[in-house]
């Protein structure tokens, strides 16, 4: 019974009463579109309603310079230092970072392999359902060798469970404040990893592979520099 008019009213409700941003609304609409298309494929709908996505302004991307990265590391310690170091040297998504296990690390080859991702407490496969292997820098390898192997997750709470985003976000914001930096999200460290590689003239294809992007256009947005 859902018609195009109903969808337009739904968009108005999300914009007005819910005060959501166009990008968030488009995410809702994509889920709705998938549901309706499935219903149509199953002959539960005679006609597939058209869904028009909202126009979204270009997304602003932030990253830390090399000197800002060092400031942040200097003002961090313990598990926060370890997480920031690994994130900014590997480009892992936050969900991949907290899902990382010791059996994902190959010490002899100095690599880690991304096998899983945790989003809203639910563990699943990485984004795009693709595993990828990332080389480890000497500083990251040294950090991992010095950590105690107690639970299966590398970064965990007192009971061995994966860390929560809110807790990690607050820790990161406190470190930014101590370092005299703007508050950043964990995703900014992923942007920073890509940008630092771009500055060193790393191939765009190599950066795409390390980040696990399916579309090279996304990689170009992440790097903030002109790449070969």
């Amino acid at each position: 019974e859902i018609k195009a008019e109903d969808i337009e009213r739904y968009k108005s409700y999300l914009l007005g009463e819910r005060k959501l941003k166009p990008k968030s609304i488009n995410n809702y609409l994509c889920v709705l579109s998938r549901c309706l298309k499935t219903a149509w494929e199953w002959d539960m709908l005679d006609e597939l309603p058209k869904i028009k996505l909202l126009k979204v302004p270009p997304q602003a991307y932030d990253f830390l310079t090399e000197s800002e990265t060092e400031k942040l590391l200097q003002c961090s310690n313990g598990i926060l230092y370890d997480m920031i170091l690994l994130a900014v040297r590997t480009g892992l998504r936050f969900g991949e970072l907290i899902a990382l296990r010791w059996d994902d690390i190959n010490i002899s080859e100095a690599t880690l392999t991304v096998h899983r991702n945790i989003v809203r407490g639910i563990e699943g496969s990485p984004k795009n359902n693709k595993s990828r292997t990332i080389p480890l820098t000497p500083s990251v390898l040294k950090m991992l060798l010095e950590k105690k192997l107690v639970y299966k997750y590398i970064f965990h709470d007192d009971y061995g469970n994966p860390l929560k985003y809110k807790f990690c976000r607050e820790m990161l914001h406190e470190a930014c404040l101590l370092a005299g930096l703007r508050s950043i999200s964990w995703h900014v460290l992923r942007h920073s990893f890509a940008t630092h590689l771009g500055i060193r003239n790393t191939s765009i294809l190599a950066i795409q592979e390390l980040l696990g992007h399916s579309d090279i256009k996304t990689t170009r947005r992440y790097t903030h520099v002109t790449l070969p």
Side-chain angles (χ1 to χ4, degrees):
E1 297 177 359
I2 297 176
K3 306 295 182 185
E5 182 182 353
D6 300 312
I7 296 171
E8 290 303 314
R9 280 200 296 268
Y10 178 55
K11 287 158 67 174
S12 297
Y13 161 74
L14 294 176
L15 273 171
E17 293 188 38
R18 294 285 303 277
K19 300 187 185 304
L20 296 182
K21 295 180 180 180
K23 186 177 184 300
S24 297
I25 294 173
N26 284 347
N27 291 338
Y28 280 54
L29 294 176
C30 286
V31 175
L32 176 60
S33 176
R34 180 68 262 179
C35 293
L36 292 173
K37 186 175 181 182
T38 301
W40 178 73
E41 291 171 348
W42 292 354
D43 296 324
M44 297 170 67
L45 285 179
D46 294 329
E47 185 178 349
L48 189 62
K50 291 183 178 179
I51 297 181
K52 295 181 180 178
L53 298 181
L54 297 174
K55 291 184 178 179
V56 178
Q59 189 174 353
Y61 288 92
D62 190 14
F63 69 96
L64 296 179
T65 63
E66 292 277 12
S67 61
E68 288 174 331
T69 301
E70 289 306 315
K71 279 184 182 178
L72 184 60
L73 287 169
Q74 288 170 9
C75 293
S76 308
N77 55 58
I79 192 171
L80 178 61
Y81 174 90
D82 297 344
M83 291 179 69
I84 291 173
L85 179 66
L86 197 146
V88 82
R89 298 292 184 249
T90 62
L92 293 190
R93 299 177 177 92
F94 177 76
E96 296 169 344
L97 186 67
I98 60 173
L100 201 62
R101 299 180 185 180
W102 284 109
D103 56 12
D104 298 327
I105 307 297
N106 188 321
I107 295 295
S108 62
E109 295 185 7
T111 62
L112 70 78
T113 302
V114 179
H115 288 298
R116 62 196 67 81
N117 189 35
I118 295 177
V119 179
R120 295 185 179 91
I122 299 174
E123 186 170 315
S125 58
K127 197 171 180 180
N128 303 320
N129 294 314
K130 284 181 60 179
S131 296
R132 66 188 191 278
T133 299
I134 303 170
L136 300 175
T137 63
S139 59
V140 172
L141 194 59
K142 179 175 181 291
M143 176 271 291
L144 290 171
L145 288 170
E146 291 175 352
K147 289 183 72 66
K148 292 182 178 179
L149 198 164
V150 181
Y151 299 104
K152 65 179 179 180
Y153 293 105
I154 294 177
F155 306 113
H156 53 79
D157 63 16
D158 292 340
Y159 304 98
N161 301 312
L163 296 171
K164 303 295 184 183
Y165 178 77
K166 183 179 178 182
F167 171 73
C168 295
R169 179 187 63 193
E170 291 173 354
M171 282 201 305
L172 181 59
H173 286 179
E174 288 177 8
C176 289
L177 186 64
L178 284 173
L181 300 172
R182 62 200 175 281
S183 288
I184 63 169
S185 68
W186 282 93
H187 209 66
V188 169
L189 300 178
R190 180 168 161 84
H191 290 179
S192 304
F193 168 76
T195 303
H196 298 167
L197 289 179
I199 292 172
R200 297 186 183 96
N201 294 318
T202 305
S203 162
I204 185 71
L205 294 175
I207 298 176
Q208 179 189 13
E209 185 70 22
L210 291 171
L211 292 176
H213 286 155
S214 58
D215 189 344
I216 201 166
K217 292 179 182 177
T218 306
T219 309
R220 290 193 181 277
R221 291 202 303 270
Y222 269 56
T223 54
H224 310 278
V225 291
T226 302
L227 295 174

